[in-house]
Amino acid sequence: MRDFENCSEAVLIRRARRGDVQAFGVLYGRIYKELYRFALYTMRHKQDAEDVVSETVVAAYEGIDRLKKEESFRSWIFTILANQCKKRFLRKGETEELSDELIAEEPDHASDHDVREALMLLGEEDRLIVAWSVLGGYSSEEIGKILEMNPATVRSRKSRALEQMHRILEN
């Protein structure tokens, strides 16, 4: 894999499309923490997060030839992750909340305990929208594509979710 460490994402994608497992492994290595962090905040359980990330990676590897634009790789793989999360929710329903011990293992942008609690009180889709926007840095248009939602609806839901979090934090 050392041969690929300095390669651009586009080169790695082209190689992965040709079946190069090592190139795909480097792509995965570059995005793993973001995928896991997002899955952890979405699924709220360490094992479920690990499972959906694993399922995402397998699906992405098997479907890399369907990636239309190389520059859309991150959005594409996060779409797969969102779909895996949705499938898991449909199969299991809501999962149990993270224990304080597990949360302490995952330092991130929402390290303040109160903010994390407020985020966890949101509904599934609102939590996805806020997580992708705030933690992932995705635009309303990108989130809308992932969730198959109008970007204006995403902005409205994000605004209401953030207001709800603000009210929770004030109490």
Side-chain angles (χ1 to χ4, degrees), residues 21-170:
V21 177
Q22 286 185 328
F24 187 83
V26 171
L27 282 169
Y28 169 66
R30 290 180 181 178
I31 197 170
Y32 171 76
K33 286 182 182 179
E34 292 174 60
L35 292 171
Y36 179 71
R37 183 179 301 124
F38 178 81
L40 186 62
Y41 273 92
T42 302
M43 301 306 299
R44 301 190 296 178
H45 189 273
K46 185 178 178 183
Q47 186 63 46
D48 287 337
E50 291 170 357
D51 290 347
V52 296
V53 169
S54 294
E55 292 164 3
T56 297
V57 171
V58 169
Y61 179 73
E62 290 173 350
I64 189 93
D65 58 323
R66 291 190 300 270
L67 175 63
K68 293 178 179 141
K69 297 178 183 174
E70 293 168 356
E71 61 273 8
S72 300
F73 175 74
R74 287 178 183 266
S75 175
W76 175 77
I77 200 165
F78 270 95
T79 301
I80 295 170
L81 178 61
N83 289 333
Q84 294 297 336
C85 289
K86 283 182 183 180
K87 286 179 191 175
R88 176 72 50 136
F89 275 122
L90 290 174
R91 278 185 283 172
K92 289 183 70 170
E94 286 290 328
T95 59
E96 62 191 70
E97 291 197 32
L98 290 172
S99 70
D100 289 337
E101 179 182 313
L102 290 176
I103 291 170
E105 294 174 18
E106 298 298 327
D108 57 29
H109 299 288
S111 59
D112 180 36
H113 183 71
D114 295 335
V115 172
R116 187 173 30 254
E117 279 186 4
L119 180 65
M120 292 308 167
L121 291 174
L122 298 176
E124 175 191 343
E125 272 194 346
D126 289 343
R127 192 170 55 247
L128 284 170
I129 291 168
V130 171
W132 273 333
S133 176
V134 176
L135 300 174
Y138 287 88
S139 70
S140 298
E141 288 75 20
E142 292 168 319
I143 296 168
K145 286 179 187 174
I146 293 168
L147 294 177
E148 298 175 353
M149 207 180 268
N150 183 307
T153 303
V154 171
R155 286 188 291 277
S156 173
R157 301 258 319 252
K158 175 185 167 189
S159 177
R160 280 196 302 266
L162 290 173
E163 285 175 19
Q164 182 181 353
M165 287 179 67
H166 184 70
R167 283 191 304 273
I168 292 166
L169 292 170
E170 283 182 332

Side-chain angles (χ1 to χ4, degrees), residues 1 4-5 11-29 57 60-62 64:
M1 277 206 231
F4 297 125
E5 291 300 324
V11 169
L12 292 170
I13 291 168
R14 283 192 290 274
R15 293 190 78 139
R17 281 181 168 161
R18 291 191 301 252
D20 191 322
V21 177
Q22 286 185 328
F24 187 83
V26 171
L27 282 169
Y28 169 66
V57 171
Y61 179 73
E62 290 173 350
I64 189 93

